[in-house]
Each structure stands twice: as C-alpha cells, then as structure tokens.
Amino acid sequence: MQFNLKEALSLRSSVFSDVIKDFGFPDIVDGVKDIAPIVRHTYKTNVANGGAIIAHHTARFTMDGGSCSVDGEGSIVVACDNAQIHGAKITVKGKRNLVVIGPFARPRRVDIRLEGDDCVFLLGAESTWESGMALVTHSRVMAVGKDCMISSGVVVRTADGHGIYNKETKEHLNNPGDVVVGDHVWIGSGVRLSKGVKVHHGSVIGQEAVVTKDIEPNTINVGIPARTVNTGIVWSRTGSYEDIPETYR
C-alpha cells in the first residue's frame, strides 16, 4: 500500500492551503516517496478507530520514552525519508488530523498533540527540535519550514485553552489561530509562540522570549513580549558564515 501525501493535504485544504502557500511546504510533498504503513516494535505505538502511522523505510523511531498514538478516523502520522524521531511523544485524537515529519527532520523530546478534528502539524525538511510542546487544536495548523533550529523547552499553542470575553458585548477576544514558522528560523530555549503568529524566514528569537505578533524576515527578536533588536541578519548552525546554505544568505 502506498500513501499519497498530496491527496491527504488536499483533503485538509480548508485549514492548509492558505496558511502554507507562502512557506514552501510543497517541497515536503515532492520529497515523499516509497512510504507505506508500518509498525515499529522498538517504539510504543497505538492505532485505533481508523488512524494510521505511515513511514518511509529510512525513517527511524527510537524509544527513550517516546510514543505515537493515533486515534480517529482518517488521522495520519507520516514520517518522511530519513526522519529521525527520538523520544518524541506524538498523540493524535480526533478525525482527519495530520502530522508530517519531513525528510531528514529530527524532533527529539517534543510532545506533539493534536486534539479535535482537522488539525495539521508539519515539521519541515532538515529542521530540528530539541524538546518542548506543540499543542494544535480547534482545526488549526502548526507548521515549521525547512532547516529550522528549535532549541529546548519551546512551547507552541494554537489556542489558549480558556475563553476570554468582553464583559459588555460578550465578544470572544482570544480566538484560536494558526502558527507558521518559515524556513531557516532559529528559536532559542524556552521561547513561547502564541496563537496566530507567523515567524518569517531567516529570523532569530532569543531565549525565553514570548512571541505575540508576527516576526519579520532576517531579524533578531528578544524579550516579553518579543521585540525586534536587529535587522538584516543571517545566521549559521556553526560559527562559520560559509556553513550558511546559499539559499539563506
């Protein structure tokens, strides 16, 4: 049995296409091939009520406290070629949800939770995430682009979990929102990304910052709430400028 990721995404187009089109995620679709349903005996897995776990034969799941549970009709977890999922906990509960771990992506001790129906989580090709939590609810999208470097203790939520209303008008003030991170973004330890924010390509967010509004490309941002302190920057995973991929210079 082969799996068509493009078709899976198209079925979720109402929550996917408008959010992702500016961030290059079709590259994930083009890079997926030769994937089929699997069960990894070295990883705690649970599939129920029409859910599925699907992976390229080069994807690797390692235990170390990790697990993957998919409970719900049409909900799918996909691990692309050479994805390395080490100690992450993936929990999907609801219908038509989708988790994609892109080619060569490396989530480690990250708690990824999708609750409700029609939610989407994407971690782009060659992106790394050391630890933290992604909580996707209310049919929203949390998407991370290619070659991102996310440190430890980073928390991302698409909703607050509790409602806040105007006392007089009863207007709902804290509506859920998609969270999108562009390509080649560096997110420091302990950062919080709030519902509805977009972090554009090439940017850096300093440790412990709380992001409550959109981040512009190629900027450094720090503080609570996060504010821009430098512009026109590029960054490297090593100490060398030459190690910055040409695309991001």
Side-chain angles (χ1 to χ4, degrees), residues 14-16 19 97-98 114-115 117-121 135-143 157-159 175-179 195-196:
S14 61
V15 294
F16 180 78
V19 175
N97 295 302
L98 178 64
L114 277 64
E115 299 176 358
D117 301 335
D118 299 300
C119 299
V120 176
F121 173 89
L135 178 57
V136 187
T137 61
H138 295 82
S139 303
R140 295 298 177 175
V141 173
M142 193 245 158
R157 299 174 63 118
T158 61
N175 291 301
D178 305 306
V179 177
K195 61 189 182 301

Side-chain angles (χ1 to χ4, degrees), residues 13-217:
S13 59
S14 61
V15 294
F16 180 78
S17 58
D18 290 341
V19 175
I20 303 305
K21 63 184 179 181
D22 295 329
F23 285 85
F25 281 100
D27 289 350
I28 286 182
V29 178
D30 294 340
V32 176
K33 53 188 177 181
D34 300 328
I35 55 180
I38 62 158
V39 175
R40 300 284 185 182
H41 296 291
T42 58
Y43 202 73
K44 184 178 179 181
T45 60
N46 177 62
V47 176
N49 299 315
I53 302 171
I54 296 172
H56 190 274
H57 67 89
T58 59
R60 292 292 177 265
F61 296 78
T62 56
M63 189 68 163
D64 196 25
S67 62
C68 186
S69 174
V70 188
D71 184 349
E73 182 181 355
S75 288
I76 305 166
V77 172
V78 180
C80 299
D81 56 287
N82 293 284
Q84 304 292 318
I85 302 166
H86 180 72
K89 293 182 179 180
I90 303 173
T91 307
V92 180
K93 198 164 187 178
K95 297 178 181 179
R96 299 176 303 276
N97 295 302
L98 178 64
V99 174
V100 180
I101 309 300
F104 294 91
R106 300 191 306 276
R108 292 177 62 83
R109 294 171 180 83
V110 185
D111 187 357
I112 301 168
R113 303 182 200 174
L114 277 64
E115 299 176 358
D117 301 335
D118 299 300
C119 299
V120 176
F121 173 89
L122 300 177
L123 184 64
E126 299 183 336
S127 288
T128 58
W129 190 343
E130 293 304 311
S131 70
M133 182 180 73
L135 178 57
V136 187
T137 61
H138 295 82
S139 303
R140 295 298 177 175
V141 173
M142 193 245 158
V144 177
K146 302 183 293 293
D147 192 42
C148 290
M149 184 170 68
I150 306 176
S151 188
S152 57
V154 174
V155 175
V156 184
R157 299 174 63 118
T158 61
D160 293 333
H162 306 282
I164 300 174
Y165 298 85
N166 181 284
K167 184 177 179 179
E168 299 298 327
T169 66
K170 300 180 182 179
E171 179 188 1
H172 192 185
L173 301 177
N174 62 333
N175 291 301
D178 305 306
V179 177
V180 183
V181 178
D183 295 340
H184 192 64
V185 170
W186 175 7
I187 300 177
S189 62
V191 166
R192 301 293 187 265
L193 298 185
S194 301
K195 61 189 182 301
V197 301
K198 291 180 173 59
V199 180
H200 288 271
H201 65 270
S203 57
V204 175
I205 303 174
Q207 61 183 3
E208 304 292 338
V210 177
V211 180
T212 59
K213 62 181 181 179
D214 292 356
I215 299 296
E216 294 301 313

